Amino acid sequence: DIQMTQSPSSLSASVGDRVTITCRASQTISGFLNWYQQKPGKAPKLLIYAAYILQTGVPSRFSGSGSGTDFTLTISSLQPEDFATYSCQQSSTSPYTFGQGTKVEI
Amino acid sequence: QVQLQESGPGLVKPSQTLSLTCTVSGGSISSGGYSWSWIRQHPGKGLEWIGYMYYTGSTNYNPSLKSRVTISLDTTKNQFSLTLSSVTAADTAVYFCARISRNDYGANYFDYWGQGTLVTVSS
């Protein structure tokens, strides 16, 4: 299975901060990398797919980049509603696998 | 707007079979191009993909669960289901159903999710 490793596991930030979360795959996955946001007690919400494509309705302050094994999710100016856990997921090879999540806290 | 809703028992005894159903509204599960999937999340942990069924009926399961998992579609009710046999306490988790979409370049992603349902395995 392809292992997905996110860093950091958690971070503290303030409203207006620029936040960067990294996801590394244990082998190359080309651009088959998705990002999700999850709030407590809720289902994950798709933010970005295919490494950099913004899902419809997702604010433009979210962006994704990377290919191969190293990927980044960036929030350009953190908003109060962005405090949540963010997870990456590879769809290059079955079984699909997720990162362990990055919790963004105030 | 596509919506998914899980239903099923919240408590299952060890060694028994877990059965969940996902009801889809706002779109047909038999329309082309989508797969229908189950994902679970152990308490306080990350997400684990269980498997999916393509609208044609083909399936793909996580090898870690393959011997115990069946996913099926009921197009007459616009539902799909998960059965997981011989459950243990390690199967206690929140179970989500989700739709998989695929773009023109072959990228698959979970774009619609159910709210999730907690299943506890305990005697």
Side-chain angles (χ1 to χ4, degrees):
Chain A
D1 298 3
I2 296 177
Q3 305 299 317
M4 306 300 295
T5 304
Q6 290 182 232
S7 60
S9 296
S10 65
L11 65 91
S12 295
S14 300
V15 173
D17 285 354
R18 181 181 181 88
V19 170
T20 299
I21 298 169
T22 297
C23 178
R24 174 165 288 177
S26 61
Q27 62 191 73
T28 184
I29 58 171
S30 186
F32 297 111
L33 191 283
N34 308 317
W35 289 99
Y36 301 87
Q37 176 194 67
Q38 188 176 21
K39 296 181 179 179
K42 301 294 187 181
K45 172 188 174 182
L46 177 67
L47 298 176
I48 289 169
Y49 63 95
Y52 67 91
I53 301 175
L54 203 63
Q55 171 69 341
T56 303
V58 173
S60 59
R61 63 181 179 272
F62 291 93
S63 64
S65 64
S67 66
T69 60
D70 294 314
F71 299 85
T72 299
L73 172 70
T74 299
I75 309 172
S76 60
S77 178
L78 199 65
Q79 297 302 299
E81 61 268 30
D82 300 337
F83 291 95
T85 297
Y86 295 84
S87 298
C88 60
Q89 173 249 328
Q90 66 83 17
S91 61
S92 170
T93 304
S94 182
Y96 296 159
T97 47
F98 292 83
Q100 82 280 13
T102 295
K103 187 173 184 179
V104 176
E105 301 175 293
I106 300 174
Chain B
Q1 177 76 349
V2 174
Q3 293 184 316
L4 292 82
Q5 177 70 58
E6 304 89 350
S7 59
L11 181 64
V12 181
K13 289 181 167 51
S15 79
Q16 293 191 343
T17 296
L18 178 160
S19 296
L20 296 174
T21 297
C22 183
T23 300
V24 180
S25 57
S28 171
I29 63 170
S30 56
S31 62
Y34 302 113
S35 297
W36 304 93
S37 187
W38 289 93
I39 298 128
R40 69 182 183 180
Q41 187 169 36
H42 294 100
K45 302 295 185 183
L47 296 153
E48 179 183 25
W49 172 70
I50 298 170
Y52 68 73
M53 176 169 271
Y54 194 45
Y55 77 104
T56 56
S58 64
T59 55
N60 186 10
Y61 299 134
N62 192 322
S64 67
L65 298 167
K66 187 174 183 177
S67 63
R68 300 192 291 129
V69 170
T70 303
I71 295 175
S72 59
L73 301 186
D74 184 339
T75 57
T76 63
K77 296 181 179 179
N78 218 39
Q79 296 175 334
F80 63 105
S81 299
L82 168 72
T83 61
L84 181 66
S85 63
S86 304
V87 298
T88 70
D91 295 308
T92 293
V94 174
Y95 287 75
F96 296 99
C97 58
R99 188 183 81 170
I100 300 175
S101 286
R102 184 183 180 96
N103 76 354
D104 292 343
Y105 301 98
N108 293 319
Y109 46 93
F110 301 102
D111 59 349
Y112 288 97
W113 295 66
Q115 65 186 28
T117 186
L118 174 63
V119 178
T120 301
V121 179
S122 175
S123 56

